[in-house]
Coordinates of all heavy atoms in Angstrom, one line a residue:
Q1294 N -29.2 1.2 -26.4 CA -29.8 2.5 -26.0 C -29.3 3.6 -26.9 O -30.0 4.6 -27.0 CB -29.3 2.8 -24.6 CG -30.0 2.0 -23.5 CD -29.2 2.1 -22.2 OE1 -28.4 3.1 -21.9 NE2 -29.3 1.1 -21.3
H1295 N -28.1 3.4 -27.6 CA -27.6 4.5 -28.4 C -27.2 3.8 -29.8 O -26.0 3.7 -30.1 CB -26.3 5.1 -27.8 CG -26.6 5.7 -26.5 ND1 -27.0 7.0 -26.3 CD2 -26.4 5.2 -25.2 CE1 -27.2 7.2 -25.0 NE2 -26.8 6.1 -24.3
P1296 N -28.2 3.4 -30.6 CA -28.0 2.6 -31.8 C -27.1 3.3 -32.8 O -26.4 2.6 -33.6 CB -29.4 2.3 -32.3 CG -30.3 3.2 -31.6 CD -29.7 3.7 -30.3
N1297 N -27.0 4.6 -32.8 CA -26.2 5.3 -33.8 C -24.8 5.7 -33.3 O -24.0 6.3 -34.0 CB -26.9 6.6 -34.2 CG -28.2 6.3 -34.9 OD1 -28.3 5.3 -35.6 ND2 -29.3 7.1 -34.6
A1298 N -24.5 5.3 -32.0 CA -23.2 5.8 -31.5 C -22.1 4.7 -31.8 O -22.3 3.5 -31.5 CB -23.3 5.9 -29.9
P1299 N -21.1 5.2 -32.5 CA -19.9 4.3 -32.7 C -19.2 3.9 -31.4 O -19.4 4.6 -30.4 CB -19.0 5.0 -33.7 CG -19.4 6.5 -33.5 CD -20.8 6.5 -33.0
V1300 N -18.5 2.8 -31.4 CA -17.7 2.4 -30.3 C -16.2 2.6 -30.7 O -15.8 2.1 -31.7 CB -17.9 1.0 -29.9 CG1 -17.0 0.5 -28.8 CG2 -19.4 0.8 -29.5
A1301 N -15.4 3.3 -29.8 CA -13.9 3.3 -30.0 C -13.3 2.5 -28.9 O -13.6 2.8 -27.7 CB -13.5 4.8 -30.0
A1302 N -12.4 1.6 -29.2 CA -11.8 0.7 -28.2 C -10.3 0.7 -28.3 O -9.7 0.8 -29.4 CB -12.4 -0.7 -28.4
H1303 N -9.7 0.6 -27.1 CA -8.2 0.4 -27.1 C -7.9 -1.1 -27.3 O -8.6 -2.0 -26.9 CB -7.7 0.8 -25.7 CG -6.3 1.1 -25.6 ND1 -5.3 0.0 -25.5 CD2 -5.5 2.2 -25.7 CE1 -4.1 0.6 -25.5 NE2 -4.2 1.9 -25.6
P1304 N -6.8 -1.4 -28.0 CA -6.5 -2.8 -28.3 C -6.1 -3.6 -27.1 O -5.9 -4.8 -27.2 CB -5.3 -2.7 -29.4 CG -4.7 -1.3 -29.1 CD -5.8 -0.5 -28.7
E1305 N -6.0 -3.0 -25.9 CA -5.8 -3.8 -24.7 C -7.1 -4.5 -24.3 O -7.1 -5.3 -23.4 CB -5.3 -2.9 -23.6 CG -3.8 -2.5 -23.7 CD -3.4 -1.5 -22.6 OE1 -4.1 -1.3 -21.6 OE2 -2.3 -0.9 -22.8
C1306 N -8.2 -4.1 -24.9 CA -9.5 -4.7 -24.6 C -9.5 -6.2 -25.1 O -8.9 -6.5 -26.2 CB -10.6 -4.0 -25.3 SG -11.0 -2.4 -24.6
P1307 N -10.3 -7.1 -24.5 CA -10.4 -8.4 -25.0 C -11.1 -8.4 -26.3 O -11.9 -7.5 -26.7 CB -11.2 -9.1 -23.9 CG -11.3 -8.2 -22.8 CD -11.0 -6.8 -23.2
P1308 N -11.0 -9.5 -27.1 CA -11.6 -9.6 -28.4 C -13.1 -9.4 -28.4 O -13.7 -8.8 -29.3 CB -11.3 -11.0 -29.0 CG -10.3 -11.6 -28.0 CD -10.2 -10.7 -26.8
Y1309 N -13.8 -9.8 -27.3 CA -15.3 -9.7 -27.3 C -15.7 -8.2 -27.1 O -16.9 -7.9 -27.2 CB -15.9 -10.6 -26.2 CG -15.3 -10.4 -24.8 CD1 -15.8 -9.3 -24.0 CD2 -14.4 -11.3 -24.2 CE1 -15.2 -9.1 -22.7 CE2 -13.9 -11.1 -23.0 CZ -14.3 -10.0 -22.2 OH -13.8 -9.8 -20.9
I1310 N -14.8 -7.3 -26.8 CA -15.1 -5.9 -26.8 C -14.6 -5.3 -28.2 O -15.4 -4.6 -28.8 CB -14.4 -5.2 -25.6 CG1 -14.9 -5.7 -24.3 CG2 -14.6 -3.6 -25.7 CD1 -16.4 -5.4 -24.0
V1311 N -13.4 -5.6 -28.6 CA -12.9 -5.1 -29.8 C -13.8 -5.4 -31.0 O -13.9 -4.7 -31.9 CB -11.4 -5.6 -30.0 CG1 -10.9 -5.6 -31.4 CG2 -10.4 -4.9 -29.1
D1312 N -14.4 -6.6 -31.0 CA -15.2 -7.1 -32.1 C -16.4 -6.2 -32.3 O -17.1 -6.2 -33.3 CB -15.7 -8.5 -31.9 CG -14.5 -9.5 -32.2 OD1 -13.5 -9.1 -32.7 OD2 -14.7 -10.7 -31.9
H1313 N -16.8 -5.4 -31.2 CA -18.0 -4.5 -31.4 C -17.5 -3.1 -31.7 O -18.4 -2.2 -31.7 CB -18.8 -4.5 -30.0 CG -19.4 -5.9 -29.7 ND1 -20.4 -6.4 -30.5 CD2 -19.1 -6.8 -28.7 CE1 -20.7 -7.6 -30.0 NE2 -19.9 -7.8 -28.9
A1314 N -16.2 -2.9 -31.9 CA -15.7 -1.5 -32.0 C -15.8 -1.1 -33.5 O -15.5 -1.9 -34.4 CB -14.3 -1.4 -31.5
D1315 N -16.1 0.2 -33.7 CA -16.0 0.8 -35.1 C -14.5 1.3 -35.3 O -14.1 1.5 -36.4 CB -16.9 1.9 -35.2 CG -18.4 1.4 -34.9 OD1 -19.0 0.9 -35.9 OD2 -18.8 1.6 -33.8
Y1316 N -13.9 1.6 -34.2 CA -12.5 2.1 -34.3 C -11.7 1.4 -33.2 O -12.1 1.4 -32.0 CB -12.5 3.6 -34.1 CG -11.1 4.2 -34.1 CD1 -10.4 4.4 -35.3 CD2 -10.4 4.3 -32.9 CE1 -9.1 4.9 -35.3 CE2 -9.1 4.8 -32.9 CZ -8.5 5.0 -34.1 OH -7.2 5.5 -34.1
V1317 N -10.5 1.0 -33.5 CA -9.6 0.4 -32.5 C -8.2 1.2 -32.6 O -7.6 1.2 -33.7 CB -9.3 -1.1 -32.7 CG1 -8.4 -1.7 -31.6 CG2 -10.6 -1.9 -32.8

Side-chain angles (χ1 to χ4, degrees):
Q1294 285 162 25
H1295 302 276
N1297 297 321
V1300 176
H1303 197 280
E1305 287 175 14
C1306 290
Y1309 56 79
I1310 297 295
V1311 160
D1312 285 349
H1313 297 293
D1315 300 279
Y1316 176 84
V1317 182

